[in-house]
Amino acid sequence: MSNNEESVDDSHSNGDSFVNMKQRLKDRSKKVAQTKEILSKQAVHTKEILSKQAVKIAKQAEEHESFINKVTHLLGVLGFGGVCFLLGARPQDVPYVYCLFYVVFVPLRWIYYRFKKWHYYLLDFCYYANTIFLVDLLLYPKNEKLFMVCFSFAEGPLAWALIVWRCSLVFSSVDKIVSVLIHLLPGLVFFTIRWWNPETFEAMHREGISHRASWPYVEDKSYLLTWLFLVPLVAYFLWQLLYFLIVNVLRRQRLLRDPEVMTSYRELSKKARKANNVWWRLSGLLGDQNRMFMYILFQALFTVATMALTVPIFLSYRLHVIFQILKVSAAVWNGGSFLVDVMPRQVILKEKKKSEVQPPETQQDPSSVVMEYTVKTKDSS
């Protein structure tokens, strides 16, 4: 009888412990749910505060737009001049300046673009390539094969995008300066490493090793084509696949719900449709439902062509110098075109929007604003 009583007591104790454990699990799940609810409320509250602050900062920036543009212009000119000085005085330090620029300005751009609903731009190929540049320069600076892949990216699609997409060097606009430097600086970095860096010359003349004609050392034409053309193409198509999966599959519903969220395809197709240019007509050859496919195809053809052009640029110092001058000249020319052709129209649009809000007696004629702008420009010159 005593053994039976002990077994009954054990079963009761096991049952009680099971009930207690079940109750503890319920309590924990409640606590986790409460914690999640509190954190979600705090996140929503924090997001509201940040959005209000962002709107407040944006309004204050509009009120002091003229002063901010002057300060930006001053810092932009001094910064660009400093980079030019480093190119001549200490070319080996240019990669570090580029890394500092990327680490500081790209996160700030993400914050700004997130607020403007432009953050999907940071999935574009130029940011993918710049991230690989950063890995190469900071972690594998002596890897010759990775250097050639980065060279192909920098002096191929990124460099020609600067010219084809008309990036403008406007010193009064932080956004335009960053856009230009993201496409321009990598080419200058790999130009200095290939031709002007003292460490490159030491690698070409190390003790116990026969004289090398260049760094990176090219064994034969097949080696050159592999690491300067084929491998970069594989890396490009990997990015294209990831981009398509993220934007057109995983985030498709998000983009359909909010037409204000911008991507590169949305912006380019919007401008092309408005201008009804040759690109819009070509992208519609297979019908409106296949415009995205045509856009991907054109981008792939552009990448293949520009990467092929990096081969002669890689082999010729003189051609490489001419290409650097071409890129800088294109950015400066586009900046001048923006200041002369685009900025006056933007002034008119801003004044029209202000006049719609202001009472009639305080409204100002937009044409007088443009006249005032041109007079100030002539006086300053």
Side-chain angles (χ1 to χ4, degrees), residues 206-336:
R206 285 183 295 176
E207 294 182 2
I209 297 178
S210 60
H211 175 72
R212 304 176 68 185
S214 64
W215 192 97
Y217 177 67
V218 180
E219 297 175 358
D220 50 37
K221 289 183 179 180
S222 63
Y223 182 89
L224 180 71
L225 292 175
T226 298
W227 292 102
L228 207 59
F229 185 69
L230 296 178
V231 174
L233 275 182
V234 172
Y236 165 79
F237 285 114
L238 176 62
W239 163 82
Q240 186 68 81
L241 178 63
L242 292 173
Y243 183 90
F244 182 82
L245 289 175
I246 294 172
V247 176
N248 298 98
V249 178
L250 297 177
R251 306 299 293 172
R252 178 180 174 80
Q253 295 302 320
R254 169 74 176 94
L255 292 170
L256 290 175
R257 284 197 307 269
D258 193 349
E260 292 183 359
V261 176
M262 294 302 295
T263 63
S264 296
Y265 171 72
R266 278 188 172 181
E267 183 189 11
L268 291 173
S269 60
K270 182 180 178 181
K271 289 181 178 179
R273 181 174 63 249
K274 185 177 180 180
N276 195 24
N277 57 23
V278 64
W279 297 111
W280 179 252
R281 292 191 290 272
L282 286 174
S283 65
L285 289 176
L286 300 180
D288 288 339
Q289 70 276 12
N290 292 315
R291 287 189 185 275
M292 173 64 77
F293 170 75
M294 294 297 291
Y295 171 75
I296 293 173
L297 178 62
F298 288 148
Q299 190 175 26
L301 293 174
F302 170 80
T303 303
V304 171
T306 54
M307 283 183 178
L309 290 173
T310 60
V311 176
I313 292 173
F314 180 85
L315 295 174
S316 172
Y317 171 75
R318 187 170 298 177
L319 190 60
H320 205 176
V321 171
I322 293 172
F323 191 53
Q324 302 308 309
I325 297 172
L326 174 65
K327 289 189 296 182
V328 175
S329 300
V332 174
W333 177 270
N334 293 335

Side-chain angles (χ1 to χ4, degrees), residues 15-17 44 73 82 87 98 129 139 161-162 201 205 240 272 274 299 315 320 329 363 374 380:
D16 292 339
S17 63
V44 171
H73 181 85
L87 279 173
Y98 160 76
L139 301 179
L162 182 75
F201 302 140
H205 301 282
Q240 186 68 81
K274 185 177 180 180
Q299 190 175 26
L315 295 174
H320 205 176
S329 300
Q363 289 182 7
T374 54
S380 61

